[in-house]
């Protein structure tokens, strides 16, 4: 129950609604219990010849009313008790189940918001599937505890207390004898629920294995056919269905045993009520109506007791799920913005002897790197693949922190400035473009929190040289992307991603190899537009392609995480070093 304590804050939030729900539970059970009591009174009055029956303050005088009228009265009262009970059950569900849905909503939002603040390390450690599972599956297990779990528990306590009180009023010994089978039934149901859960889980696993085989086979059907492996694939499928069938058969067997066992135990309680009640009636300790009421009480206690085992397994599952949720909720972001002062980026960036090694890596990705970028300067990083170019941008955005050295922004240490404001003034176009299944316009608008006019969206698309492509679609900027819409080419996606960064009106623009899929002519147009952008103070370009960066005022050449050359295009060509070699090679490739 330790991990479920986390939910106490939510119980406190909805305390009044929960309290009201509890009152409804008590009220519904009060009227439910009155039904057998009323029946007992009626039967005993008729048998004893007492013509005055009283129930909840109402008198039915059998003498003045004829039999038909009296029966009608009795029927109406009995029915009214059932209806009133039903109304309270309705309100009970409307309060307690609603609270469970409110908490489910709050909890999902809390987890989702927490996911947003967690950093790069967290996402590296945990798979997307796991993240999704905890916010969906685990929260729904917790919801089962919050809703049905709590409601049936309160109901059980209220009903048990009221019923036993009424039963003891009739006969204490008979109560004790009749109740003996019920805890046995609860224990059995608990054990069976546990077994059912375990086997269901195994069946679910087999089923997902089966789905994977089907999905893989049909997505790779060409390969299967080309290599003539149809019969092997078929055998694999049959083997997997056999296993799945085996689990299902087990489940059917357990379920088949379950129902008759419960019926037996209920039957035993009923027989005890009638047999022992009958014996007691000879000595006058229990009336005939009392026996009828007992049979009714036993029946009313059956479901709550039967559900006790089920409830225990719900609580256990919720406990395990909440523990998994808490594990993520207690996770702290490794980088926290502690400075909330104003910050306006003026354009100076400095790396001083920066060294950074990724967790689990043997070698540093960046080694003792120093450089300075002055306000208004456009700088490029070039180097072979895995030379550490993208890592520099991650360090600059403080997504990761160096183990040695210092990063200064406008002469202040990066970890002392307001990171949120610095990031707000930066536009980054990542190497891997991600577009949402939404309209193109909304994908561009995603870049900013501010509301921007259509004209601004068109303008940045023009700057990224993608407006004419977008307008060629029937729905223009309202064209849907992704599963429900069209797919853009690699180069178009990159340009939409640039438009998304530009809509932020960034002072610092970071382009991480984001022009790799566009031809050199288009690239030149985009770079020319970016140069004309008045908002941008500095542009940092990371690229393999010399054509993307030769106009940069400063080019830094990296090799294996180290700076090997620095200078303008001309200076580096004249130096006849690594850069010059790359340039010659790329020129040769272009001419082929
Ligand atoms: N998340 C990570 N965890 C561990 N190592 C990483 C991680 N990201 C990058 N690296 C390693 O750091 C080194 C530098 O990677 P980086 O992505 O900065 O190179 P790059 O120059 O941008 O490469 P490319 O041009 O191929 O994009 C590589 O050896 C890479 O394997």
């Amino acid at each position: 129950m330790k991990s479920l304590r986390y939910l106490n804050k939510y119980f406190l939030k909805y305390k009044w609604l929960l309290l009201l729900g509890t009152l409804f539970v008590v009220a519904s059970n009060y009227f439910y219990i009155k039904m057998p009591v009323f029946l007992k009174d009626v039967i005993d009055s008729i048998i004893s010849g007492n013509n005055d029956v009283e129930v909840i303050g109402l008198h039915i005088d059998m003498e003045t009313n004829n039999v038909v009228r009296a029966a009608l009265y009795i029927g109406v009262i009995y029915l009214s008790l059932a209806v009133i009970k039903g109304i309270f059950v309705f309100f009970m569900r409307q309060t307690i189940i609603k609270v469970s849905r409110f908490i489910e909503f709050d909890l999902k939002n809390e987890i989702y918001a927490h996911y947003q603040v967690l950093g790069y390390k967290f996402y590296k450690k945990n798979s997307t599937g796991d993240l999704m599972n905890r916010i969906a599956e685990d929260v729904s297990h917790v919801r089962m505890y919050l809703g049905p779990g709590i409601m049936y528990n309160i109901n059980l306590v209220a009903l048990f207390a009221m019923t036993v009180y009424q039963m003891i009023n009739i006969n204490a010994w008979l109560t004790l004898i009749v109740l003996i089978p019920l805890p046995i039934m609860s224990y059995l149901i608990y054990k069976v629920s546990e077994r059912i859960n375990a086997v269901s889980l195994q069946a679910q696993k087999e089923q997902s294995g089966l789905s994977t085989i089907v999905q893989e086979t049909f997505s790779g059907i060409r390969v299967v056919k080309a290599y003539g492996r149809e019969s092997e694939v078929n055998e694999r499928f049959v083997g997997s269905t056999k296993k799945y069938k085996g689990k299902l058969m087990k489940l059917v067997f357990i379920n088949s045993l379950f129902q008759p066992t419960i019926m037996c135990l209920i039957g035993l309680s009923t027989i005890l009520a009638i047999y022992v009640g009958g014996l007691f009636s000879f000595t006058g300790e229990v009336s005939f109506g009392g026996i009828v009421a007992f049979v009714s009480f036993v029946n009313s206690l059956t479901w709550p007791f039967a559900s006790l085992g089920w409830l225990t397994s719900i609580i256990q599952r919720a406990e395990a799920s909440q523990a998994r949720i808490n594990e993520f909720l207690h996770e702290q972001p490794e980088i926290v913005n502690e400075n909330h002062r104003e910050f306006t980026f003026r354009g100076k960036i400095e790396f001083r002897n920066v060294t950074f090694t990724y967790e689990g890596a043997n070698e540093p990705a960046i080694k003792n790197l120093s450089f300075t970028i002055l306000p208004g300067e456009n700088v490029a990083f070039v180097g072979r693949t895995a030379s550490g170019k993208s890592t520099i941008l991650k360090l600059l955005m403080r997504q990761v922190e160096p183990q040695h050295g210092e990063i200064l922004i406008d002469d202040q240490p990066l970890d002392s400035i307001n990171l949120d404001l610095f990031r707000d003034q930066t536009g980054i176009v990542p190497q891997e473009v991600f577009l949402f299944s939404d309209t193109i316009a909304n994908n561009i608008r995603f870049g900013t929190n501010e509301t921007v006019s259509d004209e601004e969206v068109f303008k940045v698309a023009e700057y990224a040289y993608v407006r004419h492509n977008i307008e060629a679609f029937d729905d223009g900027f309202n064209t849907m992307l992704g599963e429900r819409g069209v797919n853009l080419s690699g180069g178009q996606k990159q340009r939409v991603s640039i438009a998304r960064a530009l809509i932020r009106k960034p002072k610092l623009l970071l382009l991480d190899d984001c022009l790799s899929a566009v031809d050199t002519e288009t690239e030149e147009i985009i770079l020319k537009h970016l140069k004309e952008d008045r908002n941008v103070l500095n542009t940092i370009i990371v690229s393999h392609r010399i054509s993307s960066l030769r106009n940069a005022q400063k080019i830094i050449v990296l090799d294996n995480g180290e700076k090997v050359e620095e200078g303008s295009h001309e200076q580096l060509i004249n130096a006849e070093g690594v850069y010059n070699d790359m340039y010659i090679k790329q020129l040769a490739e272009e001419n082929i």
Side-chain angles (χ1 to χ4, degrees):
M1 291 298 279
K2 223 164 104 194
S3 57
L4 288 173
R5 272 190 224 144
Y6 187 81
L7 299 168
N8 288 353
K9 62 177 182 184
Y10 290 120
F11 289 138
L12 216 63
K13 182 175 173 190
Y14 297 108
K15 57 181 179 296
W16 297 119
L17 216 52
L18 275 172
L19 197 69
L20 199 64
T22 310
L23 289 179
F24 288 138
V25 174
V26 173
S28 76
N29 281 312
Y30 175 81
F31 288 99
Y32 187 34
I33 293 304
K34 279 293 169 208
M35 289 162 72
V37 174
F38 173 64
L39 219 56
K40 171 187 170 291
D41 288 350
V42 170
I43 292 169
D44 286 345
S45 306
I46 292 167
I47 288 176
S48 66
N50 174 4
N51 287 332
D52 192 21
V53 180
E54 190 196 317
V55 62
I56 43 171
L58 284 172
H59 293 272
I60 304 167
D61 187 353
M62 305 280 223
E63 197 133 348
T64 49
N65 295 298
N66 64 35
V67 176
V68 178
R69 247 215 248 138
L72 199 69
Y73 274 150
I74 291 165
V76 168
I77 292 173
Y78 196 76
L79 197 70
S80 307
L81 289 172
V83 169
I84 297 170
K85 181 226 165 206
I87 293 171
F88 281 116
V89 168
F90 170 79
F91 285 122
M92 164 181 103
R93 295 192 72 88
Q94 277 294 303
T95 43
I96 298 182
I97 299 292
K98 257 190 180 171
V99 167
S100 76
R101 290 291 180 194
F102 289 156
I103 299 181
E104 178 188 23
F105 172 81
D106 289 347
L107 192 59
K108 275 194 179 176
N109 284 345
E110 185 185 346
I111 300 170
Y112 193 75
H114 192 68
Y115 280 173
Q116 309 290 320
V117 298
L118 290 174
Y120 159 85
K121 248 193 203 162
F122 172 80
Y123 288 99
K124 200 178 153 211
K125 208 169 60 190
N126 301 293
S127 70
T128 315
D130 200 9
L131 260 70
M132 282 169 65
N133 246 332
R134 295 193 200 202
I135 205 168
E137 278 283 295
D138 285 324
V139 172
S140 77
H141 290 161
V142 172
R143 211 287 304 175
M144 280 301 284
Y145 154 72
L146 293 167
I150 288 189
M151 188 175 75
Y152 289 126
N153 262 320
I154 300 175
N155 192 50
L156 175 66
V157 173
L159 182 69
F160 184 72
M162 287 185 195
T163 310
V164 170
Y165 173 76
Q166 291 292 348
M167 285 165 95
I168 290 173
N169 266 351
I170 298 172
N171 190 293
W173 276 111
L174 188 58
T175 307
L176 196 70
I177 294 164
V178 164
L179 288 183
I180 288 172
L182 295 183
I184 303 170
M185 182 172 80
S186 290
Y187 179 73
L188 276 180
I189 291 174
Y190 168 63
K191 280 288 166 206
V192 173
S193 300
E194 239 184 8
R195 191 82 197 106
I196 289 178
N197 277 345
V199 180
S200 307
L201 217 67
Q202 290 166 3
Q204 265 170 22
K205 250 191 203 157
E206 293 299 340
Q207 195 191 19
S208 67
L210 204 64
S211 314
T212 312
I213 293 180
V214 174
Q215 192 253 329
E216 274 190 358
T217 310
F218 291 110
S219 25
I221 192 73
R222 283 194 197 155
V223 182
V224 173
K225 286 198 176 291
Y227 284 80
R229 303 300 296 258
E230 290 93 335
S231 55
E232 281 85 351
V233 167
N234 224 9
E235 266 170 38
R236 239 180 98 203
F237 181 77
V238 171
S240 186
T241 44
K242 267 190 189 155
K243 273 193 201 159
Y244 182 47
K245 192 179 81 181
K247 297 293 171 209
L248 288 186
M249 290 303 110
K250 229 180 191 175
L251 214 55
V252 171
F253 177 73
I254 301 168
N255 275 325
S256 316
L257 274 180
F258 189 50
Q259 200 74 11
T261 315
I262 300 299
M263 297 312 287
C264 256
L265 287 166
I266 297 168
L268 187 65
S269 275
T270 313
I271 288 172
L272 282 174
I274 296 170
Y275 179 71
V276 183
L279 290 180
F280 283 176
S281 75
F282 289 131
T283 52
E285 285 167 79
V286 178
S287 67
F288 188 61
I291 299 173
V292 174
F294 254 78
V295 172
S296 201
F297 286 139
V298 167
N299 275 321
S300 63
L301 281 180
T302 306
W303 161 241
F305 263 89
S307 64
L308 201 59
W310 174 68
L311 288 175
T312 317
S313 73
I314 284 188
I315 295 170
Q316 276 178 349
R317 219 163 52 168
E319 166 81 14
S321 284
Q322 188 61 44
R324 279 162 53 80
I325 295 171
N326 289 351
E327 192 193 336
F328 274 7
L329 286 177
H330 294 148
E331 191 96 28
Q332 288 305 317
E334 65 272 23
I335 293 166
V336 185
N337 181 28
E338 277 155 6
N339 179 341
H340 301 285
R341 285 196 304 273
E342 261 314 305
F343 174 77
T344 309
F345 179 58
R346 292 196 308 275
K348 189 173 174 200
I349 296 167
E350 195 181 345
F351 270 50
R352 276 190 201 156
N353 308 104
V354 171
T355 297
F356 172 75
T357 312
Y358 283 104
E359 210 177 76
N362 307 327
E363 240 198 292
I366 296 294
K367 291 174 203 153
N368 204 23
L369 181 69
S370 300
F371 62 83
T372 307
I373 301 175
L374 298 173
E377 220 173 19
N378 290 339
V379 175
F381 288 94
V382 68
R384 281 204 297 264
T385 175
S387 54
K389 303 181 295 294
S390 304
T391 307
I392 295 177
L393 300 189
K394 280 186 200 158
L395 284 161
L396 182 57
M397 283 292 90
R398 219 181 145 202
Q399 286 168 349
V400 291
E401 288 192 310
Q403 285 88 7
H404 301 287
E406 215 178 0
I407 300 171
L408 302 165
I409 305 293
D410 292 337
D411 298 319
Q412 302 170 63
L414 176 59
D415 54 13
S416 75
I417 62 167
N418 187 335
L419 187 63
D420 295 336
L421 287 184
F422 177 52
R423 285 182 180 167
D424 272 354
Q425 294 167 60
T426 308
I428 180 158
V429 187
Q431 202 169 19
E432 284 148 25
V433 178
F434 183 82
L435 298 178
F436 296 95
S437 297
D438 201 341
T439 63
I440 298 178
N442 283 345
N443 265 290
I444 296 176
R445 281 200 170 94
F446 184 80
T448 179
N449 288 330
E450 288 164 24
T451 33
V452 285
S453 66
D454 288 346
E455 280 62 39
E456 278 176 273
V457 174
F458 301 156
K459 201 170 95 190
V460 291
E462 200 162 317
Y463 264 46
Y465 199 58
V466 69
R467 181 174 178 172
H468 59 287
N469 294 129
I470 299 171
E471 283 174 347
F473 294 124
D474 285 346
D475 292 325
F477 279 82
N478 292 324
T479 304
M480 287 296 295
L481 297 182
E483 280 175 17
R484 288 177 294 143
V486 301
N487 272 328
L488 298 180
S489 74
Q492 286 169 341
K493 278 186 197 162
Q494 288 189 334
R495 284 176 280 149
V496 170
S497 183
I498 293 175
R500 178 192 280 169
L502 290 179
I503 203 127
R504 295 168 74 77
K505 298 196 180 85
K507 291 202 161 84
L508 173 63
L509 184 64
L510 308 176
L511 307 175
D512 188 357
D513 218 349
C514 65
L515 290 166
S516 56
V518 299
D519 56 71
T520 38
E521 263 172 59
T522 311
E523 180 182 39
E524 209 148 297
I525 298 171
I526 298 169
L527 292 173
K528 191 171 152 274
H529 284 167
L530 294 180
K531 224 174 162 186
E532 287 163 5
D533 193 322
R534 294 272 151 254
N535 294 312
V536 180
L537 292 175
N538 304 73
T539 305
I540 299 180
I541 302 181
V542 160
S543 182
H544 295 101
R545 255 187 7 207
I546 300 224
S547 59
S548 312
L549 42 90
R550 66 175 176 203
N551 292 324
Q553 282 122 321
K554 192 185 282 170
I555 299 167
I556 295 170
V557 187
L558 293 170
D559 189 28
N560 213 8
E562 282 176 291
K563 182 169 83 174
V564 287
E565 285 177 7
E566 180 175 340
S568 68
H569 176 71
E570 283 70 28
Q571 286 168 339
L572 293 174
I573 293 290
N574 291 336
E576 295 186 0
V578 185
Y579 184 84
N580 188 46
D581 289 349
M582 280 175 78
Y583 183 57
I584 293 170
K585 231 186 250 170
Q586 287 187 14
L587 269 186
E589 278 165 15
E590 268 176 39
N591 291 331
I592 287 170

